Amino acid sequence: MIKVKGSLTLRGSYEVALDMTEEEFDALSEREQNDEINDAMDWREFLDNSDIDDIDVDDIK
C-alpha cells in the first residue's frame, strides 16, 4: 500500500443570505466580507455539490 499526500482545489457555487444591506456589505473590507460569507456558508452542502478543480501530489510513500 502507498500513501499519497497533496492538496486539491474545489470549485462550486454558493448562495448565502446576509442580514445586512448591500451598502453595509460594500462598506466592509474584503476580509470582513469573506468572514461574513464564511460564517453564513453551509459547508457540508457546498462540499457535497462542488467539483474537484485541481489535484497536486506532493509526496508518495
Side-chain angles (χ1 to χ4, degrees):
M1 173 177 15
I2 64 171
K3 289 187 180 181
V4 179
K5 182 178 179 181
S7 60
L8 62 87
T9 304
L10 296 175
R11 179 169 301 279
S13 298
Y14 69 91
E15 183 175 323
V16 296
L18 302 176
D19 189 22
M20 62 178 60
T21 65
E22 186 175 344
E23 290 79 18
E24 291 171 324
F25 184 77
D26 287 340
L28 299 174
S29 69
E30 183 178 353
R31 181 179 176 91
E32 290 170 324
Q33 289 176 351
N34 290 343
D35 288 345
E36 289 289 333
I37 292 168
N38 183 42
D39 290 344
M41 284 287 291
D42 179 345
W43 285 103
R44 171 64 74 184
E45 181 180 342
F46 177 78
L47 292 172
D48 287 344
N49 295 312
S50 61
D51 296 314
I52 295 175
D53 189 45
D54 187 39
I55 296 178
D56 293 320
V57 175
D58 298 329
D59 189 31
I60 300 174
K61 292 183 180 181

